[in-house]
Amino acid sequence: MARYLGVAAALVATGALAITPEQMLSAPRRSEAVPNPAGTIAFFSVSQYSFDEQSSSSAYKLLDLESGNITHFALNSSEVNEIMWIPGSETGIIYINATNEETPGGVSLWIGDALNPSESTLVASLDAPFSGLKVANTSSGDLHFLVNSLAYPNGTAYNAELAPTPRNTGRLYSDIYPRHWDTWLTKERYAVFAGTLSANSSFALSGSGMRNLLRGINFTATQPETPVQPFGGSGDYDISPDGKIIALLSKATHLNKANFTASYIYLGPFDGSSVPVAFNGPNTTANNAGHEGASGAPTFSPDSSKLAYIQQDGIYYESDRFKLYALDVGLKGSEVTTSNWKGLASNWDRWPDSIHWAPDSKSIFVSAEDYARERIFNIPLTVSDSFTPQNLTGVTTVSAFYVLPDSSLLVSAAAVWTSRDFYITTGDGAPKMLFSALKVDPELAGLGPELFEEFFFTGSQDVQLHALIVKPSSFVANKTYPLAYIIHGGPQGSNANSWSTRWNFQVWADQGYVVVAPNPTGSTGFGQELIDAIQGNWGSYPYEDIVLCWDYIHSNLSYIDTENGIEAGASYGGFMTNWIQGHDLGRKFKALVTHDGVSNTLADYASEELWFIRHDNNGTIWDARENYEKFNPLDHIANYSTPHFVVHNSMDFRLPESDGLALFNILQGIGVPSRFLNFPDENHWVLDPENSLFWHTEIFNWINYWSGVGGPLDDIPVDK
Ligand SMILES: *[C@@H]1O[C@H](CO)[C@@H](O)[C@H](O)[C@H]1NC(C)=O
Ligand SMILES: *[C@@H]1O[C@H](CO)[C@@H](O)[C@H](O)[C@H]1NC(C)=O
Ligand SMILES: *[C@@H]1O[C@H](CO)[C@@H](O)[C@H](O)[C@H]1NC(C)=O
Ligand SMILES: *[C@@H]1O[C@H](CO)[C@@H](O)[C@H](O)[C@H]1NC(C)=O
Ligand SMILES: *[C@@H]1O[C@H](CO)[C@@H](O)[C@H](O)[C@H]1NC(C)=O
Ligand SMILES: *[C@@H]1O[C@H](CO)[C@@H](O)[C@H](O)[C@H]1NC(C)=O
Ligand SMILES: *[C@@H]1O[C@H](CO)[C@@H](O)[C@H](O)[C@H]1NC(C)=O
Ligand SMILES: *[C@@H]1O[C@H](CO)[C@@H](O)[C@H](O)[C@H]1NC(C)=O
Ligand SMILES: *[C@@H]1O[C@H](CO)[C@@H](O)[C@H](O)[C@H]1NC(C)=O
Ligand SMILES: *[C@@H]1O[C@H](CO)[C@@H](O)[C@H](O)[C@H]1NC(C)=O
Ligand SMILES: *[C@@H]1O[C@H](CO)[C@@H](O)[C@H](O)[C@H]1NC(C)=O
Ligand SMILES: *[C@@H]1O[C@H](CO)[C@@H](O)[C@H](O)[C@H]1NC(C)=O
């Protein structure tokens, strides 16, 4: 515990307002706000970790969209996993209760009213841990719903609590991949299930029970799976508001899943009377026009007559540009008909991601990354490919949004200085602010937009590149602060104006640094050319950009002390840190921090998503080995000399811990001051608050010692 207090004590000694790792990690975390169909109230959840109690608590809240008043939503959050508003009702809700009294490991569905939730009634008992509820209120009054769960190969939903215990722990594979993200693959795959709650029998689950909608879809290489793992959720499927048609996203069934990103959207009747068909799969209009890559965000229009979605062109390039499409859909007998397929604003040099229709079904709101924040744009169905949408939001990052009945937008946002804002906007005039965590949470006291700045510098390819600056809360203009230079992962990613509980720039700055976080070659949100330029160039253009940005800081930002700076990065940012250690820029820093980064590019094939390795190295390791050798940090050991803190977690299957261990063993062997931190129970990220506090404490002790910001570097206690 003394080591935790050390970091806090250093801050207290300066007498400054500042956010500590402990405050950041124990501040409330609020979900997006989900409005009711009438657009009068919204619910959200808030969870909070207590270091004193060593436990998390959570609660649901109601937000009045007129006054911004927030009241307690009396649904017990340890009992209720998910809530949906019932379309067509004022304040009707349907929710998933985590308990099923009849079937251990199952869940139950309840219907009630948000204004009187204690009167809710149990309507259906589901025999597996279903999640991802979507619901349509049909003209007959029946509710049609979709949920997802792991399923056995025979299609039956998988309930871990009822599954037999295997007699051995062997895992046998005959195709790639054996494991993905932080999970070893088993024979079970995720599937979407449909059910009907009959209005004339108090919304009991109708006799046909739960139907696995993926059943009957044939495959040659990859078994259909929805949601697409590991990050897919209920956004991977949808039900038309009239309850008649379903859409689901699944990876290409004729391509190996580890080799290709391609995925398609299947359309089928809700009643299961025919097997869903991929309308943009092989041998379709869309596919034949060259749009063959990963699809996403299938979303029916409010009038049920159309579907919008996004798709990339390339079949194994995960950072290819997503484009927006729409088509007409209908039901003829048991077959879903499609027509009028078209691209919308197809030349727009951004990646539309989440999709929400305007109430009149005539235009689509999307969010897209744009200059280091996520922003909302509107795209009418009538536009041509050359249409350039205008941003409807500005400074902060949109985390989620919904369209209200009057076409205004309820936005859940975040920024470097606020973990959550809720506001309503039309894109015209000032937004109506409903809530800002900055004004409410004591942990965020002293933060504010005045500590945030952005600048552009000339990069290696002569283009203007973006970087952001975060100053410490105690900043005074006539002092200097050591540079904390933070490189993002991806490499197709960005440093953005948003809130993070993993790389929170303000928390780093408040140790006594000025954070500069550049967006070099490969960064997203600035156009596809910058993204594409990183292929085959991991150690060239971005490294040169990062050097040029450092030069810019050194020459132009007098309040930044570049003599005593530190540099840190995770994933690709860890690769870049290791590359910097072997090159001249490494000598400009007092300390380096690599979190789960590549140290040996010849080991890239230990990863799981092989399409990424192949694309970014412009070939396989057996066909293009020289591309892998070109930018290998391990080839520059002779130059390693800057004190280096290495983190690598055991559950990281994207980039196995052997890379971090190799780096640490080498640093120790050649006598470079170094430490190695491992979490056996964390993946590519550190999510547990106690683990995260330890991560921050040890990293900050290290950089603060070498930069001179902090006190002595204590020996590692034997009990750690
Ligand atoms: C909002 O809350 C304030 C203070 O609690 C109260 O005075 C006001 O009546 C509330 N407004 C609405 C619309 O509930
Ligand atoms: C919420 O539910 C949990 C689990 O059923 C129970 O232990 C707890 O007492 C409940 N809390 C409230 C406030 O009812
Ligand atoms: C379904 O929508 C109708 C209006 O179209 C509404 O009267 C009804 O209450 C809704 N069903 C439920 C269960 O809320
Ligand atoms: C959840 O289900 C359990 C078991 O049926 C029940 O005791 C509890 O009241 C339910 N909670 C809610 C909020 O529906
Ligand atoms: C599917 O397989 C599981 C596991 O073997 C089994 O428990 C279940 O009964 C099977 N379902 C059907 C419909 O055969
Ligand atoms: C509900 O109504 C449908 C017709 O709309 C009928 O087929 C079904 O049997 C009814 N169910 C019950 C439980 O009454
Ligand atoms: C799947 O394959 C079987 C056997 O070849 C065939 O009978 C069936 O029609 C196919 N289903 C679809 C949806 O293509
Ligand atoms: C995966 O892709 C590589 C080319 O990148 C190819 O050589 C290999 O045969 C593919 N494997 C499968 C199972 O498709
Ligand atoms: C596309 O159509 C061609 C010709 O009909 C057929 O040979 C091929 O197998 C089809 N491709 C897929 C993936 O279904
Ligand atoms: C759109 O973005 C620009 C900066 O690129 C900003 O100045 C403007 O305020 C934004 N528009 C809205 C409506 O927020
Ligand atoms: C630095 O600026 C602060 C006010 O921001 C002032 O109080 C202080 O005297 C200044 N120090 C020097 C050395 O100029
Ligand atoms: C390698 O790069 C060239 C030029 O950009 C491109 O045409 C080719 O498709 C790439 N090969 C792979 C395997 O990505």
Side-chain angles (χ1 to χ4, degrees):
M1 202 59 189
R3 294 167 70 73
Y4 299 149
L5 295 176
V7 171
L11 291 167
V12 171
T14 68
L17 268 177
I19 182 164
T20 62
E22 186 161 358
Q23 285 172 319
M24 180 271 287
L25 292 165
S26 57
R29 301 182 188 193
R30 297 175 183 83
S31 72
E32 66 193 78
V34 185
N36 67 342
T40 53
I41 51 172
F43 71 80
F44 63 94
S45 69
V46 51
S47 68
Q48 193 161 13
Y49 184 78
S50 161
F51 284 101
D52 292 337
E53 314 269 322
Q54 293 181 40
S55 67
S56 289
S57 58
S58 65
Y60 290 108
K61 302 280 176 186
L62 287 174
L63 171 68
D64 184 302
L65 298 185
E66 185 57 42
S67 65
N69 280 3
I70 291 174
T71 49
H72 184 63
F73 187 1
L75 269 182
N76 187 331
S77 65
S78 42
E79 293 179 346
V80 176
N81 292 349
E82 288 179 26
I83 307 170
M84 286 286 297
W85 296 106
I86 298 178
S89 75
E90 269 289 311
T91 49
I93 50 169
I94 175 167
Y95 62 86
I96 297 183
N97 182 322
T99 308
N100 180 331
E101 283 188 333
E102 295 160 12
T103 312
V107 295
S108 53
L109 285 181
W110 295 59
I111 285 182
D113 189 290
L115 303 182
N116 194 7
S118 61
E119 298 295 303
S120 304
T121 53
L122 171 71
V123 292
S125 136
L126 310 180
D127 58 7
F130 291 99
S131 65
L133 181 63
K134 289 215 163 169
V135 64
N137 181 350
T138 68
S139 56
S140 72
D142 290 354
L143 299 179
H144 289 181
F145 69 93
L146 304 180
V147 283
N148 76 78
S149 161
L150 270 178
Y152 287 108
N154 65 13
T156 299
Y158 174 78
N159 180 338
E161 288 193 29
L162 301 183
T165 309
R167 295 174 62 155
N168 66 67
T169 57
R171 300 191 267 230
L172 183 65
Y173 299 89
S174 57
D175 70 359
I176 48 179
Y177 22 46
R179 59 185 196 173
H180 194 191
W181 189 246
D182 56 10
T183 305
W184 288 88
L185 268 68
T186 60
K187 290 192 167 56
E188 289 75 43
R189 295 285 178 273
Y190 281 87
V192 175
F193 290 77
T196 297
L197 302 175
S198 305
N200 59 359
S201 58
S202 310
F203 297 106
L205 186 61
S206 80
S208 50
M210 303 292 284
R211 288 189 308 281
N212 181 335
L213 294 173
L214 276 69
R215 230 169 167 162
I217 301 178
N218 289 331
F219 65 99
T220 51
T222 290
Q223 188 186 329
E225 178 168 39
T226 313
V228 175
Q229 299 304 301
F231 301 121
S234 60
D236 283 357
Y237 50 91
D238 201 17
I239 180 167
S240 60
D242 64 10
K244 291 182 180 159
I245 307 179
I246 56 93
L248 15 114
L249 175 73
S250 185
K251 286 194 71 169
T253 52
H254 66 299
L255 298 174
N256 177 278
K257 60 185 172 298
N259 266 353
F260 299 96
T261 53
S263 61
Y264 311 125
I265 294 165
Y266 289 75
L267 289 171
F270 172 83
D271 66 10
S273 54
S274 71
V275 174
V277 175
F279 73 85
N280 63 341
N283 296 336
T284 61
T285 313
N287 202 267
N288 292 342
H291 313 300
E292 306 174 70
S295 307
T299 311
F300 287 100
S301 60
D303 66 5
S304 298
S305 74
K306 298 179 182 68
L307 182 85
Y309 70 103
I310 53 172
Q311 191 175 13
Q312 299 176 316
D313 287 351
I315 58 174
Y316 69 96
Y317 180 21
E318 69 175 31
S319 299
D320 204 358
R321 186 158 65 83
F322 276 103
K323 299 173 190 169
L324 178 68
Y325 300 93
L327 66 159
D328 293 348
V329 294
L331 199 58
K332 203 173 185 184
S334 65
E335 304 297 324
V336 176
T337 60
T338 60
S339 56
N340 291 324
W341 170 85
K342 71 176 275 205
L344 298 170
S346 296
N347 301 339
W348 183 34
D349 197 9
R350 288 292 182 267
W351 293 359
D353 42 50
S354 59
I355 292 175
H356 291 277
W357 285 83
D360 63 5
S361 299
K362 288 185 177 154
S363 74
I364 296 167
F365 293 92
V366 298
S367 63
E369 199 178 6
D370 184 43
Y371 291 109
R373 58 270 285 162
E374 187 83 1
R375 288 173 162 156
I376 301 173
F377 301 80
N378 182 257
I379 304 177
L381 284 184
T382 50
V383 301
S384 68
D385 285 349
S386 61
F387 179 73
T388 304
Q390 295 305 304
N391 61 302
L392 302 176
T393 64
V395 181
T396 58
T397 277
V398 173
S399 314
F401 71 99
Y402 289 88
V403 186
L404 299 174
D406 66 356
S407 287
S408 62
L409 308 170
L410 173 62
V411 181
S412 302
V416 162
W417 56 87
T418 179
S419 59
R420 180 58 75 226
D421 285 357
F422 297 127
Y423 65 85
I424 293 175
T425 189
T426 59
D428 224 10
K432 171 174 157 180
M433 281 304 293
L434 296 170
F435 172 84
S436 180
L438 177 63
K439 300 217 170 105
V440 176
D441 294 347
E443 297 87 351
L444 275 51
L447 311 192
E450 66 281 1
L451 303 174
F452 176 83
E453 278 178 35
E454 299 164 84
F455 67 91
F456 284 86
F457 64 98
T458 306
S460 61
Q461 302 308 294
D462 248 8
V463 291
Q464 289 299 294
L465 298 177
H466 173 271
L468 52 86
I469 300 175
V470 180
K471 297 173 183 174
S473 312
S474 57
F475 183 81
V476 287
N478 54 10
K479 274 189 160 175
T480 66
Y481 301 83
L483 170 66
Y485 207 29
I486 298 183
I487 310 302
H488 68 69
Q492 298 90 352
S494 70
N495 281 317
N497 181 20
S498 62
W499 183 263
S500 172
T501 51
R502 292 185 291 114
W503 286 83
N504 186 298
F505 299 139
Q506 192 66 56
V507 169
W508 284 67
D510 278 354
Q511 292 293 307
Y513 300 88
V514 171
V515 169
V516 178
N519 282 308
T521 300
S523 297
T524 52
F526 304 92
Q528 196 62 30
E529 205 178 322
L530 191 70
I531 299 170
D532 292 347
I534 198 154
Q535 186 189 31
N537 287 306
W538 272 36
S540 55
Y541 304 157
Y543 174 76
E544 292 155 24
D545 297 337
I546 286 164
V547 170
L548 288 166
C549 184
W550 189 93
D551 290 343
Y552 178 94
I553 298 163
H554 183 70
S555 312
N556 296 288
L557 303 175
S558 59
Y559 54 90
I560 300 183
D561 166 12
T562 46
E563 295 301 309
N564 293 295
I566 64 94
E567 186 275 340
S571 196
Y572 172 81
F575 162 87
M576 181 49 71
T577 302
N578 301 343
W579 188 247
I580 286 171
Q581 174 67 290
H583 290 81
D584 290 347
L585 186 62
R587 311 295 75 81
K588 308 280 194 194
F589 298 109
K590 294 289 192 214
L592 303 173
V593 180
T594 293
H595 175 100
D596 291 29
V598 176
S599 65
N600 177 14
T601 51
L602 291 180
D604 277 2
Y605 265 76
S607 190
E608 8 82 306
E609 295 181 347
L610 302 180
W611 65 74
F612 170 70
I613 308 304
R614 178 180 172 210
H615 174 271
D616 271 37
N617 289 292
N618 198 229
T620 65
I621 197 159
W622 53 94
D623 286 334
R625 185 185 167 104
E626 62 284 3
N627 296 353
Y628 291 74
E629 287 171 337
K630 200 166 171 188
F631 301 115
N632 193 350
L634 274 196
D635 285 343
H636 303 273
I637 295 172
N639 298 329
Y640 290 9
S641 50
T642 302
H644 202 148
F645 193 99
V646 182
V647 185
H648 217 123
N649 299 332
S650 298
M651 300 274 286
D652 187 357
F653 302 161
R654 176 134 304 173
L655 181 55
E657 65 199 316
S658 48
D659 264 60
L661 283 166
L663 175 61
F664 179 62
N665 291 344
I666 291 164
L667 290 164
Q668 289 281 309
I670 62 176
V672 177
S674 45
R675 280 185 177 176
F676 181 70
L677 172 61
N678 163 264
F679 293 101
D681 52 347
E682 297 282 359
N683 57 29
H684 205 49
W685 302 330
V686 176
L687 298 177
D688 175 84
E690 297 285 350
N691 287 345
S692 184
L693 181 58
F694 190 74
W695 183 95
H696 281 93
T697 304
E698 295 305 327
I699 288 174
F700 288 168
N701 278 338
W702 181 258
I703 62 171
N704 293 354
Y705 169 73
W706 292 103
S707 68
V709 160
L713 192 63
D714 32 344
D715 291 335
I716 297 178
V718 284
D719 65 343
K720 291 281 184 246

